[in-house]
């Protein structure tokens, strides 16, 4: 059905009045946007195991929606993506592109480029010049081979082809490096600096290409003076932005700093308006509007909070909603069917080979000349070959200016897809820096040999937090465990931050130190204080505890590597993890809310791979009022209970309870569950059941252990505890008639602010009875799960302890056989 563009209306009157919403601009735009988001998110989910950047999914999604796949059905294409809707879709997408390039400018720190020195500049120069020359040579071949390619003037076609092959996608490269934990390594830093040089040069070349292109086929007949005027105007614009606007934005950023304790919304709005005005000015000059937005982003100061607040305001809306529309519009222009015949596919292979060879070879040779090892030099070449997003922008401008026809456009889009897709797997294959983790002697609270009471061994604890909400409970827990001056405490705090596609994640990682590992927070004048680090620094000063805050920014799938590496490097005795659910409410109405499903998997991996003991804290208000007490404080602030059944994990919990008993602000109680007289004959035997689901079944150690020896160790640990802490801790024995109700009664009573339990990987006979229970949080073990699960009205916080021992590293779900042997043998597990 033909449409007159001037007669298109924004919204319909609805189906009840006979209107089809798909014939109106705004309802159709909603359908198009929804379809784009669904397809791109689904593809991103499928490609996630391959660790591909989201841009790959968005490009492929656009191609699927376009004439290459679904668009072969003309009814679909004319109904969902009719030609009259293209300007509307592209206008909305261009707004997203404008603000995205502003974010790219915000990410690009010119001072870091200057610091990178001549090596990065030389690598960038080689990474541009050789592919650019190769692109020019390729342009001559394409003009003679592809029908219609010779209708465009030589100048603009050669420049566009050179830019298309020489560009490196700075934003996509940053995300790939961050995903691979290479962003703050020497290789990553060199790649980012070289890519930044490359980006600046590419935008200058793109401005030249646009100036030369004019209206495409007619561009060759323009007066050369027009191109000169366009370029001179562009230079004047850049100088004006850096000389006049940059100091003005520095003043605005200072006005919005935390010292002034106010952020005027007018400054935020003024900055967003500045993006639009800058884009309009460069479009007025004759250079694409995105160039103005990019330069305006460079003028924003990178230090302080202002840049971060700008990113927070716009990145989700732009990157999550508007930018995928731009890729969809690119896909709608990409018709793979235009590549017909052996000759056309041969040209595609030639373009891909030329693009890869020019970029990788040029970078590799210069890196070798700069005395970079061959493996790292090759890695740099592959990284610099990343195309993706910025490449598509160049290609779309070329198509918009009629410099690239349909076939060449499709070939170059597929080239961009291939070169970006190959980056991650190739880098993982040729370069994987050693993390340096080696499991040495086991580190745990309980020693194999008795420790002198006058021992001055320093206790090192690594406490992890998700955010400010975890801070009070962790401080209270650490304060309870710090013991006396005889055994000083050194506390490492790791703020765990999920690495996402957000620009703010990349900015945070770029501020890390140069080794790719979690970095120490260093407060510098003019920078905002990290609230988490500041709170622990204050606690360290008040409580006379040595505190070292740091931050780890990783994808959740690899977050445990950072935790385990720091635990090994700092030789900590215990890692404390926050539970993946956090308590909300007070008194008997404490609801547990999930802070994110991915965090549970992080805890599970740390429990499996940590080189020391681990504690998981289930917080139900432990962060309430707590005095940071000195050695002379005698006020009892809260009660703590250690539940003891027996086994290595319970002995570790008992050892921690001993340290807590030293604290004058803690009333310590140890409750030991014992069996009824005559219950010896009702033993159980546990056998491995690998077919059982690990998510809702408890896993126990598969190690063979001496049950009699374990019993002796339990008795020895209890006797030692009672001897050392006589008068400072209460010891109670309870007969285990129903241990589930017994444990829950303690958690519901409100008598104890914190209950400490062992994970029970090598369970006592009483705990083994619970092996067949359906688990809500299987990684906490039977007793920890009972106290942490929802719906039991437990008001106490829970700390689940796992003692480090390589003997217990292998675990498996089990089946329980009642009435078997009189003892539960680990060999049967």
């Amino acid at each position: 059905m033909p449409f007159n563009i001037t007669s298109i209306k924004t919204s319909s009157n609805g189906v009840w009045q006979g209107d089809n919403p798909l014939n109106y601009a705004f309802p159709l735009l909603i359908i198009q946007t929804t379809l784009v988001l669904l397809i791109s998110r689904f593809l991103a989910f499928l490609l996630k195991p391959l660790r591909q950047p989201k841009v790959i999914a968005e490009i492929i999604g656009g191609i699927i929606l376009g004439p290459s796949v679904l668009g072969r059905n003309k009814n679909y294409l004319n109904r969902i993506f009719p030609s009259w809707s293209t300007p509307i879709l592209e206008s909305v997408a261009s707004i997203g592109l404008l603000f995205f390039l502003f974010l790219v400018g915000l990410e690009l720190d010119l001072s870091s480029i200057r610091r990178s020195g001549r090596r990065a500049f030389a690598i960038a120069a080689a990474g541009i010049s050789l592919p650019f020359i190769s692109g020019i040579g390729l342009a001559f071949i394409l003009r003679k081979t592809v029908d219609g390619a010779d209708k465009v003037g030589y100048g603009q076609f050669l420049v566009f082809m050179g830019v298309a092959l020489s560009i490196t996608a700075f934003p996509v490269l940053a995300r790939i490096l961050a995903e691979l934990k290479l962003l703050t390594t020497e290789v990553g830093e060199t790649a980012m600096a070289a890519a930044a040089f490359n980006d600046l040069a590419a935008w200058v070349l793109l401005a030249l290409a646009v100036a030369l292109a004019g209206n495409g086929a007619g561009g060759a007949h323009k007066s050369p003076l027009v191109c000169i005027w366009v370029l001179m105007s562009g230079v004047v614009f850049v100088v004006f932005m850096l000389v006049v606007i940059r100091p003005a934005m520095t003043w605005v950023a200072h006005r919005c700093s935390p010292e002034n304790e106010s952020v005027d919304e007018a400054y935020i709005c003024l900055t967003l308006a500045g993006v639009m005005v800058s884009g309009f000015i460069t479009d007025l000059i004759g250079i694409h509007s995105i160039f103005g937005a990019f330069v305006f982003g460079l003028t924003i100061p990178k230090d302080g909070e202002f840049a971060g607040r700008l990113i927070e305001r716009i990145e989700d809306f732009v990157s999550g909603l508007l930018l995928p529309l731009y890729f969809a519009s690119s896909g709608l222009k990409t018709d793979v069917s235009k590549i017909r015949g052996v000759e056309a596919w041969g040209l595609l292979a030639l373009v891909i080979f030329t693009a890869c060879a020019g970029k990788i070879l040029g970078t590799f040779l210069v890196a070798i000349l700069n005395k970079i090892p061959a493996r790292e030099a090759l890695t740099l070449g592959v990284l610099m070959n990343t195309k993706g997003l910025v490449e598509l922008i160049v290609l779309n401008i070329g198509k918009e200016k009629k410099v690239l026809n349909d076939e060449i456009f499709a070939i170059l889009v597929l080239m961009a897809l291939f070169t970006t897709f190959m980056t991650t797997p190739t880098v993982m294959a040729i370069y994987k820096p050693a993390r340096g983790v080696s499991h040495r002697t086991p580190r745990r609270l309980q020693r194999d040999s008795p420790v002198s009471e006058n021992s001055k061994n320093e206790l090192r604890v690594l406490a992890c937090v998700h955010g400010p909400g975890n801070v009070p409970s962790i401080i209270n827990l650490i304060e309870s465990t710090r013991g006396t001056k005889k055994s000083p405490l050194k506390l490492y705090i790791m703020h765990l931050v999920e690495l996402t596609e957000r620009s703010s994640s990349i900015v945070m990682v770029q501020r890390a130190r140069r080794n790719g590992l979690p970095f120490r927070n260093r407060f510098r004048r003019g920078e905002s204080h990290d609230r988490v680090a500041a709170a622990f620094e204050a606690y360290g000063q008040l409580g006379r505890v040595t505190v070292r805050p740091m931050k780890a920014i990783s994808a959740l799938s690899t977050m445990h590597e950072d935790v385990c590496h720091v635990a090994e490097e700092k030789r900590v005795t215990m890692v404390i993890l926050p539970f993946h659910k956090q308590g909300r409410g007070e008194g008997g109405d404490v609801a547990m809310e999930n802070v994110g499903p991915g965090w549970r998997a992080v805890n599970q991996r740390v429990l499996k791979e940590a080189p020391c003991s681990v504690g998981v804290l289930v917080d139900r208000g432990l962060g309430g009022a707590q005095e940071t007490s000195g050695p002379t404080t005698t006020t009892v602030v809260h009660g703590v209970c250690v539940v003891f059944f027996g086994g290595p994990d319970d002995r570790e919990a008992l050892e921690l309870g001993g340290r807590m008993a030293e604290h004058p602000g803690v009333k310590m109680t140890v409750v030991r569950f014992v069996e009824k007289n005559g219950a010896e004959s009702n033993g159980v035997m546990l056998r491995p059941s690998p077919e059982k689901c690990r998510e809702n079944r408890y896993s126990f150690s598969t190690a063979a252990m001496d049950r009699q020896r374990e019993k002796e160790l339990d008795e020895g640990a209890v006797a030692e505890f009672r001897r050392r802490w006589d008068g400072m801790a209460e010891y109670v024995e309870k007969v285990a008639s129903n241990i589930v109700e017994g444990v829950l009664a303690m958690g519901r009573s409100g008598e104890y602010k914190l209950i400490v339990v062992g994970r029970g990987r090598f369970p006592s006979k009483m705990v083994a009875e619970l092996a067949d229970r359906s688990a809500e949080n299987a990684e906490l073990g039977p007793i920890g799960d009972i106290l942490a699960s929802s719906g039991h009205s437990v008001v106490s916080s829970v700390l689940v302890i796992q003692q480090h021992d390589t003997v217990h590293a292998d675990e498996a779900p089990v089946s329980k056989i009642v009435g078997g042997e009189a003892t539960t043998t680990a060999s049967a597990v």
Side-chain angles (χ1 to χ4, degrees), residues 516-551:
L517 302 175
F519 58 97
R520 170 93 184 275
N521 286 322
R522 292 177 173 83
F523 298 151
R524 291 178 288 179
R525 185 174 298 177
E527 289 192 3
S528 62
H529 285 204
D530 185 296
R531 285 190 293 163
V532 171
F536 282 105
E537 291 274 6
Y539 164 67
Q541 294 171 4
L542 292 173
R544 296 189 291 279
V545 175
T546 305
V547 178
R548 293 288 182 268
M550 61 186 73
K551 184 176 287 187

Side-chain angles (χ1 to χ4, degrees), residues 36 40 53-66 81 89-90 92-94 96-97 100-101 169 171-172 318-334 387-394 396 409 413 416-417 501:
V36 167
S40 62
K54 192 172 67 173
V55 63
I56 292 288
E58 290 168 341
I59 296 172
I60 296 175
I63 293 174
I64 289 174
L65 291 171
F81 292 101
L89 180 65
E90 291 186 354
V92 175
S94 295
L97 182 64
F100 179 78
L101 265 296
V172 179
V318 169
S319 301
L321 182 66
L322 297 182
L323 202 59
L325 293 181
Y326 185 79
F327 296 114
S329 65
S330 303
L332 291 169
K333 300 173 193 171
T334 305
K387 307 286 187 195
L389 185 144
V390 184
E391 173 83 359
L392 272 198
I393 296 171
V394 172
N396 274 284
F409 180 78
V413 167
L417 261 179
E501 294 281 344

Side-chain angles (χ1 to χ4, degrees), residues 26 78 207 209 263 331 350 355 361 365 409 514 547 583 596 635 656 687 730 764 783 794 824:
F26 189 60
N78 293 332
V263 178
L350 178 64
L361 187 61
L365 292 176
F409 180 78
R514 294 181 46 171
V547 178
T635 305
L656 182 65
R687 293 196 180 280
E730 181 182 359
S764 66
I783 305 301
V794 175
T824 307

Side-chain angles (χ1 to χ4, degrees), residues 670-697:
V670 174
V671 177
R672 183 181 187 185
F673 282 82
V674 295
E675 295 175 291
K676 287 181 181 180
N677 292 332
E680 286 289 325
S681 59
N682 296 322
V684 296
M685 181 160 50
L686 304 180
R687 293 196 180 280
S689 296
E691 71 280 358
K692 286 191 175 182
C693 176
R694 288 177 178 264
E695 287 298 309
N696 57 12
R697 293 291 176 181

